[in-house]
Amino acid sequence: MGSGKEKKEKKALHLGPNKVKRKKQNLKKTKINSKSNENAKTKTKSKIKNSENSMVSFPTAAEQLKYFHEQYQSANRVQLSSLELESFTETCMLELNPDQAQSSSPLADHMKVAFGPSWKGSLCEKELDGKIDPGHPSLLVISLSALRSLDLLRELRPLTSECRAAKLFSKHMKVEEQASSLKNRVNIASGTPSRIKKLIDMEVLGLSRLAVIVLDMKADAKGYSLLTLPQVRDEFWDLYRNYFHQRVLEGALRICLYGEIPANIKRKKSIEDE
């Protein structure tokens, strides 16, 4: 006859068939729920990642404005005042028509539309007269690098056969040569932020005719663009604050973000909240 202690141990170890079955079912449910949660998290992360990587090829004026505001405030560590925001509206941005991108010279076609009926006089005429000062372009294209500037000048060739575009970058180009070329009529100029600012500071590149600045958004091999590559970004905002910002607020100058920009922030937040 065994002791009471042994009986208690046997009783504690014994589980009825129903209890065993329930325990297995509970374990199975826990595993399924755990797997479901993991799958849901993975899907959410995937959605967020896809949203972060999604790009807009032809952003609307509103999308351009939002992205530009974000980059301006982030890079300059400032908050635009309500007065500035009221002045800095969608009309400050130049919206492009995707239908104009089908030709071999899409940027030239976009600019013809942007300048309207007067595009020939603003972008193609070569004669200097009493109303046109030398070295004062109507269109300025700002890029990440010299090579990219040249790519965009190729797209503008239909507009520059009579009046040559000014190349405003430092690679293989002496500043003295550029200053000399700016003594002629210039309708279109393309270059990098640091060299453009230097030529403005030297008072050989003028802004009195400037109506549109095109900011090239094409990313380099590492994924950086004009507004995200640290050194170039800082040079651009230095140029922008000193020479363009006030003219944009006054309505004398429009900005065009040419190329892909990230999808808007609101869309990202809505996916994260799902």
Side-chain angles (χ1 to χ4, degrees):
M1 212 173 134
S3 66
K5 192 177 178 182
E6 287 174 349
K7 284 180 182 178
K8 280 181 184 177
E9 283 177 358
K10 284 179 183 178
K11 195 173 182 183
L13 290 169
H14 178 70
L15 289 173
N18 291 334
K19 285 185 179 180
V20 172
K21 193 175 182 181
R22 279 199 297 273
K23 213 168 187 184
K24 284 181 179 178
Q25 285 173 343
N26 289 337
L27 283 168
K28 198 173 181 181
K29 278 182 185 176
T30 305
K31 284 180 181 177
I32 290 168
N33 289 338
S34 177
K35 262 191 177 179
S36 299
N37 289 337
E38 282 176 18
N39 289 338
K41 282 179 185 176
T42 304
K43 281 181 182 177
T44 304
K45 283 179 183 176
S46 177
K47 279 184 181 179
I48 293 167
K49 191 175 180 182
N50 289 337
S51 174
E52 286 171 352
N53 292 334
S54 63
M55 305 293 281
V56 181
S57 295
F58 288 92
T60 63
E63 288 169 329
Q64 289 186 60
L65 183 67
K66 183 172 177 59
Y67 182 68
F68 193 78
H69 276 172
E70 287 165 357
Q71 295 300 315
Y72 178 83
Q73 293 177 135
S74 172
N76 294 286
R77 295 185 178 89
V78 296
Q79 188 75 31
L80 288 170
S81 68
S82 56
L83 185 62
E84 285 179 307
L85 288 169
E86 282 173 17
S87 304
F88 204 149
T89 63
E90 290 175 26
T91 57
C92 300
M93 313 306 290
L94 175 60
E95 189 171 315
L96 302 180
N97 184 347
D99 295 337
Q100 301 295 326
Q102 305 307 315
S103 72
S104 58
S105 305
L107 186 54
D109 291 340
H110 285 306
M111 291 305 106
K112 286 178 187 177
V113 174
F115 280 82
S118 65
W119 67 267
K120 278 189 179 178
S122 298
L123 301 173
C124 302
E125 293 293 334
K126 66 176 181 178
E127 298 300 326
L128 278 169
D129 56 39
K131 295 179 182 178
I132 305 293
D133 291 322
H136 286 244
S138 295
L139 170 63
L140 180 61
V141 182
I142 307 177
S143 306
L144 182 69
S145 66
L147 287 174
R148 185 59 189 156
S149 294
L150 291 171
D151 286 342
L152 292 172
L153 283 174
R154 288 187 194 100
E155 288 189 32
L156 290 165
R157 271 180 185 164
L159 305 176
T160 58
S161 58
E162 294 295 320
C163 182
R164 293 179 67 184
K167 299 173 184 177
L168 311 180
F169 43 79
S170 57
K171 192 170 185 178
H172 306 309
M173 299 285 288
K174 292 181 179 178
V175 71
E176 294 80 13
E177 291 172 0
Q178 290 165 333
S180 179
S181 71
L182 290 168
K183 289 177 182 177
N184 303 307
R185 175 163 174 164
V186 176
N187 297 320
I188 297 170
S190 177
T192 53
S194 59
R195 182 51 60 93
I196 290 169
K197 185 175 184 297
K198 186 167 187 175
L199 290 163
I200 296 173
D201 290 342
M202 290 170 63
E203 299 184 350
V204 292
L205 177 63
L207 305 177
S208 65
R209 292 178 66 216
L210 191 61
V212 174
I213 53 171
V214 172
L215 306 183
D216 179 37
M217 292 291 102
K218 179 140 179 107
D220 64 11
K222 293 183 179 178
Y224 288 109
S225 73
L226 174 69
L227 299 184
T228 59
L229 184 62
Q231 184 181 345
V232 177
R233 174 197 65 193
D234 295 343
E235 290 167 350
F236 168 74
W237 289 118
D238 186 35
L239 168 65
Y240 177 83
R241 284 192 310 270
N242 282 287
Y243 293 110
F244 302 143
H245 186 61
Q246 193 55 43
R247 287 173 58 81
V248 170
L249 296 182
E250 290 168 357
L253 181 61
R254 287 187 296 166
I255 301 165
C256 173
L257 304 187
Y258 185 59
E260 293 184 334
I261 65 169
N264 63 66
I265 298 298
K266 281 184 181 176
R267 189 176 168 193
K268 289 182 190 176
K269 284 185 178 175
S270 65
I271 290 173
E272 285 172 5
D273 293 338
E274 283 179 5

